[in-house]
């Protein structure tokens, strides 16, 4: 289901709770909502559509990647980025890393470990900030 984008900074500023198999419907709502914003958006966190759960979606061009309970294991290549967000007006500067390694549970809650770089790594870091209640 396509959900409205949350713009309430008090809600967005709260830490998200661990996602469980009972929360699998959130992935479908993220997929539907991201598809409807495809021209303006490359990733979303569950709190952006009203769920305070640790689930994100990243557009990988051909397919979308769902990550439940992601954790960054390593990072390198610090740089300054300027980012926008559907939940907030304008852009903001922030610190990012060129390369990251992430452990997460996939859409079926099977544990995965993967390295990402460049723009994909930046998107993942942005969405993971949402999970921590970090508003940039």
């Amino acid at each position: 289901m396509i959900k409205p984008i949350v713009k309430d900074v008090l809600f967005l500023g709260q830490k998200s709770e661990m996602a469980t198999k009972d929360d699998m419907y959130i992935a479908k709502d993220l997929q539907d909502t991201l598809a409807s914003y495809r021209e303006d958006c490359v990733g979303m966190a569950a709190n952006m559509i009203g769920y305070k759960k640790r689930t994100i979606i990243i557009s990988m061009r051909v397919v979308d990647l769902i990550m439940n309970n992601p954790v960054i294991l390593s990072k390198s290549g610090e740089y300054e980025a300027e980012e926008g967000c559907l939940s907030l007006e304008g852009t903001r500067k922030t610190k990012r890393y060129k390369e990251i390694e992430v452990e997460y549970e996939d859409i079926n809650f099977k544990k995965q470990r993967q390295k990402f770089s460049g723009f994909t790594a930046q998107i993942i870091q942005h969405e993971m900030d949402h999970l921590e209640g970090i508003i940039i």
Side-chain angles (χ1 to χ4, degrees), residues 107-119:
I107 194 164
N108 297 308
F109 285 84
K110 182 180 175 196
K111 207 163 266 254
Q112 305 289 332
R113 187 177 189 153
Q114 196 170 348
K115 292 182 179 182
F116 300 92
S117 62
F119 190 57

Side-chain angles (χ1 to χ4, degrees), residues 60-110:
M60 303 285 288
R61 299 177 200 235
V62 177
V63 296
D64 294 332
L65 175 63
I66 296 288
M67 293 182 166
N68 291 298
N69 306 312
V71 175
I72 294 177
L73 301 175
S74 66
K75 53 192 174 188
S76 64
E78 183 178 327
Y79 68 98
E80 183 176 84
E82 189 166 339
E83 300 174 348
C85 182
L86 287 179
S87 291
L88 305 167
E89 294 292 321
T91 60
R92 287 151 191 82
K93 291 186 179 188
T94 188
K95 178 174 63 171
R96 295 288 179 229
Y97 296 89
K98 292 179 185 176
E99 297 180 350
I100 60 173
E101 184 174 13
V102 182
E103 185 174 82
Y104 64 95
E105 295 166 329
D106 64 20
I107 194 164
N108 297 308
F109 285 84
K110 182 180 175 196

